[in-house]
Amino acid sequence: MERDNILPKEGEAYYFGSILTPKEADYYFERLFKTIDWQQDEVIIFGKRIVTKRKTGWYGEKEFEYTYSKITRKAKIWTPELVALMKLVEKRTGLEFNSCLLNLYHSGEEGMSWHSDAEAELGKDPAIASLSLGAERKFVLKNKASGEKISLELENGSLLLMKGQTQKFWLHSLPKTKKVKEPRINLTFRKIVKTKK
Ligand SMILES: O=C(O)CCC(=O)C(=O)O
Ligand SMILES: [Fe+2]
């Protein structure tokens, strides 16, 4: 895998462009839209419980418990489409994953604010592989110390891999935009290495 690191320092991120044909990307979008058990997410912001418009799904090879935005959820077991997509992503990245967080953004009015995926369950320096389906959206990485920003457009069917110290030193976000009217599904494949209990 010879690819340029899009981060100038303190982490690694690789953009593969589209790894699916437009037809495959459409197929998976439709299938996931219909078959994933989409949940309205609740997040706690300034101590208030808020229901987001964005919907999420949490899947894995086991009923992993995962805590993000202070909410713990139990994974549902893989669907055939998720297994097929994970295999493709594993082949491209040469890495192994065991779980996937899905996000459904109905339009550009929905996004994700600055965060890093540094949950304890993922262990140190986690690799996260992000597959995008549907509307093209801007994705931004921001260095925690310097504020330096790296922006890219995540196209339909594309794969982005974040690894090494990226989560430690960089935040990322999916800015809202009035320009995008179409929906997008994002899948972030992850590897849970620490399980509770
Ligand atoms: O939708 C995206 O591209 C970003 C999703 C993300 O950052 C996450 O699920 O942690
Ligand atoms: Fe993230």
Side-chain angles (χ1 to χ4, degrees):
M1 192 193 72
E2 273 312 307
R3 231 159 255 285
D4 289 332
N5 183 3
I6 62 172
L7 297 179
K9 59 177 182 187
E10 298 180 333
E12 291 169 61
Y14 301 94
Y15 185 60
F16 293 70
S18 185
I19 62 161
L20 298 171
T21 65
K23 221 173 149 178
E24 287 170 327
D26 283 357
Y27 169 80
Y28 283 114
F29 183 96
E30 292 303 323
R31 288 295 300 163
L32 295 173
F33 191 84
K34 283 195 197 117
T35 60
I36 293 301
D37 182 10
W38 295 106
Q39 311 262 326
Q40 207 93 42
D41 233 13
E42 286 177 20
V43 292
I44 296 180
I45 299 169
F46 301 121
K48 270 199 193 134
R49 195 173 274 252
I50 292 175
V51 178
T52 59
K53 283 186 275 177
R54 171 167 57 84
K55 288 188 174 174
T56 63
W58 169 233
Y59 283 75
E61 64 179 30
K62 286 186 202 147
E63 286 183 332
F64 295 121
E65 284 192 350
Y66 192 41
T67 304
Y68 56 93
S69 300
K70 298 184 182 152
I71 307 278
T72 299
R73 277 177 36 189
K74 206 188 253 189
K76 302 214 166 57
I77 301 301
W78 290 134
T79 66
E81 291 80 19
L82 290 174
V83 172
L85 290 171
M86 182 178 67
K87 283 192 177 149
L88 209 67
V89 165
E90 288 185 333
K91 205 168 150 188
R92 288 301 185 114
T93 60
L95 297 169
E96 280 186 2
F97 301 97
N98 59 15
S99 52
C100 182
L101 184 66
L102 294 99
N103 288 290
L104 168 60
Y105 307 89
H106 299 84
S107 75
E109 306 268 337
E110 296 167 24
M112 199 178 286
S113 53
W114 292 113
H115 68 281
S116 55
D117 294 294
E119 290 78 9
E121 294 92 327
L122 300 175
K124 191 175 174 269
D125 296 342
I128 295 172
S130 166
L131 185 68
S132 294
L133 300 169
E136 187 167 308
R137 293 284 297 265
K138 182 187 279 197
F139 180 86
V140 191
L141 287 139
K142 180 166 82 172
N143 189 272
K144 290 182 190 179
S146 69
E148 180 178 359
K149 285 182 183 171
I150 306 287
S151 284
L152 61 160
E153 294 289 332
L154 299 179
E155 59 189 310
N156 184 22
S158 71
L159 178 65
L160 170 73
L161 174 66
M162 295 185 276
K163 58 182 269 199
Q165 295 190 304
T166 304
Q167 304 307 320
K168 188 171 175 196
F169 292 112
W170 297 79
L171 299 169
H172 55 272
S173 72
L174 191 84
K176 292 182 184 176
T177 169
K178 292 220 187 309
K179 280 184 229 154
V180 177
K181 308 287 179 200
E182 302 301 317
R184 169 175 180 269
I185 291 174
N186 175 259
L187 301 90
T188 47
F189 291 97
R190 298 151 188 256
K191 189 168 185 180
I192 300 283
V193 295
K194 282 181 210 156
T195 48
K196 288 186 200 148
K197 69 178 175 180

